[in-house]
Amino acid sequence: MTKTGFVLANLFHKKTRTWLTLLSVVMAFVLFGLLQSLNLVFSASPDFIGATRLVTQSRVSFTQSLPMRMVPEMDAIPGVQRVMYQQWFGAVFRENPQIFAFAVDPERLHDVYPEWVMPEEHWNAFRDTRTGMIAGRLLAEQYGWKVGDKIPLQSNIFPQKNGSKDWTFDLVGIYDGKDDQWQQQTAGGMYINHAYFAEATQFGGGNAGIFVLRLEDPDMAESVAMAVDKRYENSADETKTQTEKDFQVGFLKQLGDIGLIVRWILFAVFFTLLLVVGNTMAQSVRERVPQFAVLKTLGFSDNSVLGFVLAETVALCAIGGLLGLSLATLLGAGISKAAGPMMPVAVDGRVWLSGVIAIVVLSVVVGLLPALRARRLKIVDALAGR
């Protein structure tokens, strides 16, 4: 028998216990892979490479609106192809949860987001209908909406001039995504005509929550962002311009320090894993004290016995850890596809590197004490059962 075969045979001498421990390691590293990739998304520095659109918001907070007079000023900045403005509407449909609804200029939306696909006559109807509204395909299917329906909505932010928060819109179009990723995002979005919103709302009609800038050249993203923020520096409406992905991450960060939450979850997972794997290895060594004595009697050195125990721990952690990271990679690809380009959760090389380091550290921490105990065993005491 080879040394590798000897280590694996010892590792599985209690098959049920080993398989259960291995399953714990696999699940821990699945969580590690997904959470660490999420942590990298939230801790990444701004990246303008390849950006085709930028999002400009108030430097104070995205909840603070900016004046509409900024639209032509941004349109004139070199490198900007078209600027779209949108205002969060805060729509609620009947007793259902809040829907992502935005007041926009139909033509600017069409120009800046070619990823939304809809017949041209529907785009024209959205432009020409004062009370017009378009909805994502999956959202419309969820509520059974059809083109031509009148959709009653409530806004939890904006009342009409008569004080009522009840609004009614004409559904003039249903848009699709250009591919599967964008199609998934039609599940939660709708747009209303900003001209009607600005005319009917009691306040906020002359403002926009954010501006979305479509660029002429992705290579100009960083310079355009700097130009926009420089344009409004030291003014009453200072701005913060970033990529769509960074804006999405910033939006989620408003819920709390996501990175800190993720780190605490990972700490809890690995602390529990240390206890589980450590107990398994300690129990395994206690059960095989006579075996280690026999090995030493046959001429194996103390360091060789120590190496066998450490090798078992490394094998257990490595098999479970690599399987877990592999599963996390597959799950991460699925999540990233469903979430779309705004939230690219990917178990990449950085996550794998940190995962391998975690495997090595875990192996040493849980295996060193049992291995040292086996190394210090005296043959006479071990065979005497003491």
Side-chain angles (χ1 to χ4, degrees), residues 151-269:
I151 309 299
L153 297 175
Q154 284 189 324
S155 174
N156 52 23
I157 301 176
F158 297 102
Q160 297 189 61
K161 288 180 179 178
N162 60 10
S164 173
K165 288 192 174 182
D166 295 323
W167 297 69
T168 301
F169 298 96
D170 296 295
L171 185 62
V172 297
I174 296 174
Y175 62 86
D176 292 286
K178 69 170 186 176
D179 54 29
D180 290 341
Q181 282 190 342
W182 283 91
Q183 187 71 8
Q184 291 296 322
Q185 296 184 57
T186 65
M190 65 167 64
Y191 297 98
I192 63 175
N193 196 317
H194 191 280
Y196 169 58
F197 166 78
E199 176 187 329
T201 186
Q202 197 173 91
F203 62 89
N207 297 322
I210 63 171
F211 300 102
V212 182
L213 289 64
R214 186 175 182 185
L215 304 176
E216 295 176 354
D217 183 353
D219 294 336
M220 299 180 67
E222 188 170 5
S223 61
V224 170
M226 293 175 62
V228 172
D229 293 340
K230 185 70 174 177
R231 172 71 175 76
Y232 299 103
E233 189 177 17
N234 298 322
S235 72
D237 302 301
E238 287 193 302
T239 61
K240 177 182 178 181
T241 303
Q242 55 197 326
T243 64
E244 287 181 294
K245 185 193 77 171
D246 292 327
F247 173 77
Q248 184 78 6
V249 169
F251 180 84
L252 294 176
K253 280 183 177 179
Q254 300 298 314
L255 303 175
D257 190 339
I258 305 297
L260 181 63
I261 295 172
V262 167
R263 287 191 291 272
W264 274 108
I265 294 174
L266 287 175
F267 174 79
V269 168

Side-chain angles (χ1 to χ4, degrees), residues 274-319:
L274 283 173
L275 297 179
V276 172
V277 180
N279 178 70
T280 297
M281 293 309 303
Q283 189 173 351
S284 177
V285 169
R286 284 196 301 271
E287 292 171 351
R288 291 184 291 134
V289 165
Q291 180 189 106
F292 294 131
V294 171
L295 287 175
K296 292 185 177 184
T297 302
L298 293 174
F300 286 91
S301 66
D302 291 341
N303 289 333
S304 296
V305 173
L306 180 143
F308 283 138
V309 176
L310 280 178
E312 288 179 37
T313 310
V314 171
L316 178 64
C317 295
I319 293 172

Side-chain angles (χ1 to χ4, degrees), residues 12 31 44 49 66-68 70 110 149 155 199-200 258 281 296 302 310 331 369 372 380:
F12 287 93
L31 284 173
I49 297 175
L66 295 169
M68 295 289 290
M70 299 169 68
H110 192 15
D149 288 350
S155 174
E199 176 187 329
I258 305 297
M281 293 309 303
K296 292 185 177 184
D302 291 341
L310 280 178
L331 290 173
L369 288 179
L372 289 174
V380 175

Side-chain angles (χ1 to χ4, degrees), residues 52 60 335:
T52 58
V60 177
I335 294 172

Side-chain angles (χ1 to χ4, degrees), residues 369-384:
L369 288 179
L372 289 174
R373 183 187 178 191
R375 183 183 186 282
R376 289 194 297 264
L377 280 175
K378 302 297 183 184
I379 297 175
V380 175
D381 293 338
L383 293 178

Side-chain angles (χ1 to χ4, degrees), residues 77-97:
I77 292 176
V80 175
Q81 185 180 85
R82 188 71 155 153
V83 177
M84 185 198 82
Y85 52 87
Q86 64 182 41
Q87 179 67 278
W88 171 261
F89 181 69
V92 177
F93 179 65
R94 295 176 181 168
E95 301 300 324
N96 295 291

